[in-house]
Amino acid sequence: MIEVIERMKRKDPYEKEFHQAVEEVFGTVRPVLERYPDYRRSAILERLIEPERLIQFRITWLDDAGQVHVNRGYRIQMNGAIGPYKGGLRFHPSVNLSILKFLAFEQVFKNALTTLPMGGGKGGSDFDPKGKSDTEIMRFCQAFMMELFRHVGPDTDVPAGDIGVGAREIGYLFGMYRKLRNEFTGVLTGKSLGWGGSLIRPEATGYGNVYFASEMLATRSDTLAGKTCLVSGSGNVAQYTVEKLIDLGAKVVSMSDSSGFVYDEAGIDREKLAFVKRLKNVRRGRIREYADKYPNAVYTEADPQLDFNPLWDRPAQCAFPSATQNEISGKDAQNLLRNGVFLVSEGANMPSTPDAIDIFLANNVLYAPGKASNAGGVAVSGLEMSQNSMRLSWPREEVDSRLKTIMKSIHKTCLDAAAEYGKPGNYLIGANIAGFVKVVNAMIDQGIV
Ligand code: GLU
């Protein structure tokens, strides 16, 4: 195991985020490797960290002023042992191979936990959608799909959204795919309702995370009612996390974007949330405008000099990091504990640094790793694929009830695996081991390929 990790670091020394994700998973599966010595002979660890296929391509597009731009596009088909590759596309200037390999690696285990037949993949571009016009976004998405269409398909690889890719981008991507292939199939998920999308898909990641948190609290005979909650982010995941928390009687006091965060001690109610949805989804503005509209809220500009985020230094009982990777440092974790937080349920992918996770686990925090707690999004993507294949669409209640059942099942799977391996209540170990065993058994069944 150590040698595999060392070799990976020597080969690709700059892929820090990928190393972090691999070390987090491999650091917890040693007891499984001891129980099944066959895994070593099958070089399972080496196979899991080597993408089955990695596509990198040039995207050339024209801005509104007639200037040509070049961006990098990627699709990583990480592991297809249990189904077509499945995972989102991220458009953000920070996108590089390290970020996408970490996301693809996480996605493999997350998708395995959903109980649905989906392999793991991820893709995206270093394109920055901030400040771009609608026509520029359309031209970029079309240029992206002009290459990607060769590599994806409803039974091969089914991309979806992630940071910077929402319903608008999925629409433009789908339009170009349909034109190039002359085919109307479920090649993307997160589509709009009128042309193949699933009800509850926009809500699924946030709702699913809150369902998971409720399950964790139930193990301590507790509920979310009356809890003060910190939420970071203000995109799709954060918005529907806040919505479900309000539904369940919790009080949410924060939201953020990359420029800063708002703290609203009175709580973000339905009307204020509707304002955030309009602000972010329609007007595409900054969260600071929340404090202009609701002057009792305080806006704090992000300060890159600080080694902590003041958002995590406010009194609360529960935290739902829903912005991006490594947004909770060790110091943030200490601050959360000092302020009374005893539940952390991850809406983003890998938002807690390894130091933060150690602190949560050492202090008996109900800590849910993203690959378990944010799996509701991709789970409903799986349900969207099923509906597309059947050419029908399920009502809202049906999708929501399936989502609830899936989140309950992931919660139980994590707890069962953790108990089986002598770490009761440790969701990190439970999620990693359960996802790992499912994928690895499929790989072994399918031989040396
Ligand atoms: N990007 C989301 C995730 O991290 C959703 C992926 C999907 O729906 O395929 O799981």
Side-chain angles (χ1 to χ4, degrees):
M1 155 105 67
I2 311 264
E3 315 83 75
V4 178
I5 292 178
E6 286 310 314
R7 213 174 312 129
M8 163 186 80
K9 289 185 174 171
R10 264 201 314 278
K11 253 190 168 164
D12 299 301
Y14 300 110
E15 297 182 352
K16 298 276 179 274
E17 292 83 3
F18 180 54
H19 301 162
Q20 182 184 334
V22 170
E23 285 189 292
E24 186 226 277
V25 172
F26 285 7
T28 57
V29 297
R30 189 179 295 276
V32 187
L33 299 174
E34 281 160 11
R35 193 182 290 186
Y36 303 105
D38 253 19
Y39 286 6
R40 277 305 313 129
R41 215 184 14 250
S42 304
I44 281 303
L45 301 182
E46 290 87 337
R47 285 155 74 180
L48 279 171
I49 58 174
E50 201 61 37
E52 291 183 8
R53 195 169 295 100
L54 193 156
I55 301 140
Q56 182 179 327
F57 50 96
R58 188 184 74 196
I59 306 158
T60 318
W61 60 280
L62 196 63
D63 72 16
D64 290 342
Q67 174 66 49
V68 175
H69 295 266
V70 175
N71 282 97
R72 274 188 192 167
Y74 308 87
R75 185 70 185 167
I76 301 181
Q77 299 179 335
M78 196 73 189
N79 190 302
I82 62 173
Y85 307 107
K86 182 84 196 84
L89 298 171
R90 178 176 290 193
F91 291 171
H92 192 270
S94 66
V95 162
N96 56 33
L97 267 184
S98 176
I99 301 262
L100 293 182
K101 278 173 76 177
F102 117 64
L103 289 164
F105 185 77
E106 286 281 296
Q107 198 84 43
V108 170
F109 305 105
K110 181 195 315 199
N111 293 4
L113 289 171
T114 64
T115 70
L116 303 173
M118 297 182 288
K122 206 87 190 188
S125 173
D126 58 359
F127 171 73
D128 187 359
K130 218 188 277 171
K132 302 290 189 297
S133 72
D134 201 57
T135 47
E136 288 172 332
I137 297 285
M138 181 182 73
R139 281 197 297 275
F140 178 79
C141 290
Q142 292 176 335
F144 188 88
M145 187 51 89
M146 271 191 250
E147 172 62 35
L148 190 70
F149 85 101
R150 286 171 238 286
H151 311 288
V152 297
D155 297 315
T156 310
D157 184 352
V158 183
D162 195 84
I163 294 172
V165 178
R168 171 179 62 163
E169 290 73 19
I170 294 292
Y172 295 145
L173 289 162
F174 186 84
M176 185 48 93
Y177 180 86
R178 191 170 65 74
K179 184 174 177 72
L180 292 169
R181 280 254 199 249
N182 191 22
E183 220 176 68
F184 194 111
T185 43
V187 64
L188 292 161
T189 61
K191 301 184 289 298
S192 289
L193 256 184
W195 45 275
S198 174
L199 284 159
I200 299 290
R201 177 62 190 90
E203 293 89 338
T205 315
Y207 280 18
N209 190 16
V210 176
Y211 295 151
F212 196 94
S214 302
E215 291 294 313
M216 292 202 288
L217 284 169
T219 65
R220 297 188 186 172
S221 308
D222 204 349
T223 68
L224 280 161
K227 299 285 185 299
T228 300
C229 302
L230 298 170
V231 174
S232 63
S234 50
N236 164 273
V237 179
Q239 290 171 17
Y240 289 103
T241 299
V242 174
E243 184 165 292
K244 188 49 77 176
L245 285 170
I246 297 172
D247 283 351
L248 297 183
K251 179 165 106 169
V252 181
V253 291
S254 66
M255 290 185 90
S256 69
D257 62 21
S258 55
S259 311
F261 76 95
V262 285
Y263 177 69
D264 185 345
E265 203 179 345
I268 301 173
D269 59 19
R270 281 178 221 286
E271 185 219 303
K272 295 172 182 174
L273 177 62
F275 171 80
V276 174
K277 285 186 184 172
R278 268 194 318 277
L279 173 71
K280 286 289 167 183
N281 310 349
V282 183
R283 289 203 287 120
R284 301 185 191 272
R286 308 306 294 164
I287 199 73
R288 80 167 70 84
E289 292 179 41
Y290 180 101
D292 302 335
K293 169 96 178 154
Y294 304 107
N296 289 333
V298 182
Y299 174 72
T300 308
E301 189 81 13
D303 179 355
Q305 306 303 327
L306 290 179
D307 63 346
F308 69 101
N309 180 351
L311 185 158
W312 303 124
D313 198 7
R314 297 286 183 274
Q317 289 91 50
C318 306
F320 295 86
S322 310
T324 194
Q325 67 273 357
N326 290 328
E327 56 169 313
I328 301 185
S329 65
K331 190 157 178 190
D332 292 321
Q334 300 281 14
N335 288 339
L336 285 166
L337 282 179
R338 189 166 36 74
N339 280 291
V341 168
F342 66 88
L343 177 146
V344 178
S345 204
E346 297 183 341
N349 290 311
M350 206 169 76
S352 306
T353 59
D355 288 352
I357 295 175
D358 288 347
I359 291 166
F360 296 147
L361 295 179
N363 287 278
N364 203 25
V365 168
L366 286 169
Y367 165 69
K371 65 171 75 67
S373 49
N374 75 33
V378 74
V380 173
S381 276
L383 301 178
E384 184 172 329
M385 288 165 71
S386 306
Q387 294 169 81
N388 291 165
S389 301
M390 292 189 285
R391 301 201 191 285
L392 50 77
S393 61
W394 293 327
R396 194 179 166 85
E397 298 69 36
E398 165 143 20
V399 184
D400 195 27
S401 119
R402 283 179 188 261
L403 169 63
K404 250 184 227 157
T405 308
I406 290 171
M407 296 316 295
K408 265 186 194 229
S409 136
I410 298 175
H411 179 265
K412 182 172 182 321
T413 302
C414 292
L415 281 188
D416 289 351
E420 188 184 337
Y421 284 88
K423 298 280 181 199
N426 186 323
Y427 292 92
L428 178 75
I429 288 183
N432 286 346
I433 290 186
F436 180 84
V437 168
K438 178 160 183 195
V439 175
V440 167
N441 285 341
M443 290 167 72
I444 290 178
D445 287 349
Q446 292 171 29
I448 305 166
V449 288

